[in-house]
Amino acid sequence: MTDAQALVKTLDFQLDIQSDNEGLLYDATLEARSVYNETIRLAKQGVDWDAIPDRVADDANLVKNTTQRVVAKALGAMENYYEYDNFGLPSHTKDGAYPLRANYEEGYNLSLTDNGDVEFRISAKPYKHVKGVLKGSDAHLDILQTALTSDEWKIGTAEALFHSENAELHVNLTNTEQTVRDKQDSRTVVGVDVNEDNVALTALSEDGIEDSLVIDFPEIKFERHRYFTMRKRVQNAGKDSIHDTLEGREERFVRDRLHKVSRHIVEWGRQFERACIVFEDLKEMRDSIDYGTRMNRRLHHLPFRTLQFYTSYKAAFEGIPTAWINPEYTSQRCPMCGHTERANRHKKRFKCRDCGHQDHSDRGASVNIAVKGIKKHQDWNVPALNSLPQVRKVRRRASGAVDAPTVTHPTARGHLADGRLEVSD
Ligand SMILES: [Zn+2]
């Protein structure tokens, strides 16, 4: 990981198409789907990835540069699969629309009109354009208008897509002036331990532990298991299209939840003086041979990198840097005396075989992650830990979203047994 973190933002707009050819844009998203499928198919066949863009571009009825962007995204999905098994092997038989990804001033263009509207021109097919005006929230339009008139923002790739039958454009911007604080210049290090059904957070400064928190999200685990079973069932019955629909629904559900959890992490981290968020580096985790079944299980059960990416992206917007540490022994080490042994941990319970210290295991792991973060990235010392604050838990509550499951509790809303708080979105 490099020191500098780009400050990027994605703005969502609705397309008010005025060139009377909305069908052209939809056709282009179907063509993008074909490009995606073909890329995945070739990659599965073992075709050299470098050769895929040209092979696919020859047959695609899209602007060449746009084809390349869609191919790159499909290969990204394959790479994700090989590295992290996030959502299973990508399918090459999906139908329906796929986002049309385009480079600014190549596949699409934006311009400001005299009355302050932002006009778009998307090259849906070679020499065929879709034109109109962007509609969206004032906040997003404001930023885009600024981006079009100043050097503060650089306009990047965009995706044209259909969401509930409405045409949308999602534009990526990079801020060239506002920087994320140097991670070595932090006063508090927030260790984040990501698990299948929770994240544990600990904020550590030179003075000791500032606070720690466990955010439970059992519904993600529950829903992923539920979808997994359903998908297996329809797959066995040979109903691939239903399988793909379920997969899409699961992805949307998980992403929505992960966005909310990541927002929560950043909100919590913001309260501390010059915070730096520290994660376990998953690459190092995969590369080393054996971190025990816990790690293996974790790798297969949660889209970790997605949560890290969302958190780091949202943190960057608050000027909060992200850092990475090697995950070795973070779950086995006693945060009080340093004794490291696998037997210290039994599921969610931690009991040090040397000093007898007892803790919630994931909270303990988040302390160790913070400790490693200080050692690796800060020039101040790890404080001596004589006692840890009581573990505080909050439980994310399912909101009324259509895809959301019902989470039931025996206790009234607002408070749970053992002092846990519920949080609504
Ligand atoms: Zn100990």
Side-chain angles (χ1 to χ4, degrees), residues 334-339 350 352-357:
C334 172
M336 305 303 283
C337 74
H339 176 69
F350 185 98
C352 178
R353 304 272 279 210
D354 194 13
C355 76
H357 166 71

Side-chain angles (χ1 to χ4, degrees), residues 251-387:
E251 282 183 27
R252 280 194 298 279
F253 172 82
V254 173
R255 275 196 206 117
D256 173 72
R257 297 279 107 185
L258 294 180
H259 268 301
K260 282 164 179 156
V261 173
S262 59
R263 208 172 295 143
H264 197 148
I265 296 171
V266 174
E267 279 302 310
W268 192 79
R270 274 179 60 180
Q271 64 181 306
F272 304 107
E273 190 188 355
R274 282 198 269 157
C276 171
I277 291 177
V278 177
F279 288 115
E280 294 175 310
D281 189 330
L282 300 169
K283 276 227 160 99
E284 294 197 42
M285 186 147 67
R286 195 27 90 82
D287 289 347
S288 350
I289 352 144
D290 176 31
Y291 289 127
T293 53
R294 174 173 180 256
M295 280 298 179
N296 291 332
R297 205 169 54 236
R298 288 175 55 191
L299 273 171
H300 284 95
H301 279 93
L302 197 98
F304 288 93
R305 195 163 71 159
T306 310
L307 182 64
Q308 293 189 341
F309 171 75
Y310 288 169
T311 306
S312 143
Y313 165 104
K314 290 178 173 61
F317 256 83
E318 305 292 338
I320 300 173
T322 308
W324 308 79
I325 54 99
N326 185 319
E328 199 170 21
Y329 305 126
T330 50
S331 66
Q332 299 172 19
R333 177 184 177 274
C334 172
M336 305 303 283
C337 74
H339 176 69
T340 302
E341 183 181 346
R342 186 169 291 173
N344 280 348
R345 181 192 175 109
H346 184 66
K347 293 184 177 160
K348 296 287 181 197
R349 301 235 13 102
F350 185 98
K351 186 176 182 193
C352 178
R353 304 272 279 210
D354 194 13
C355 76
H357 166 71
Q358 295 189 48
D359 201 351
H360 180 297
S361 344
D362 300 327
R363 193 274 288 270
S366 71
V367 176
N368 289 328
I369 291 167
V371 166
K372 279 195 176 190
I374 295 172
K375 285 182 179 163
K376 183 171 176 192
H377 299 290
Q378 306 303 326
D379 58 10
W380 39 277
N381 294 323
V382 176
L385 299 179
N386 302 315
S387 69

Side-chain angles (χ1 to χ4, degrees), residues 6-13 104 108 110 139-148 150 152-158 170-176 313 317:
L7 182 45
V8 291
K9 190 165 181 64
T10 304
L11 307 176
D12 302 346
F13 301 100
Y104 186 56
Y108 80 106
L110 301 171
H140 283 192
L141 280 167
D142 261 4
I143 298 177
L144 190 61
Q145 283 154 353
T146 308
L148 284 162
S150 85
E152 192 193 341
W153 293 91
K154 192 173 159 292
I155 301 174
T157 55
H170 298 181
V171 184
N172 283 312
L173 298 183
T174 306
N175 192 302
T176 55
Y313 165 104
F317 256 83

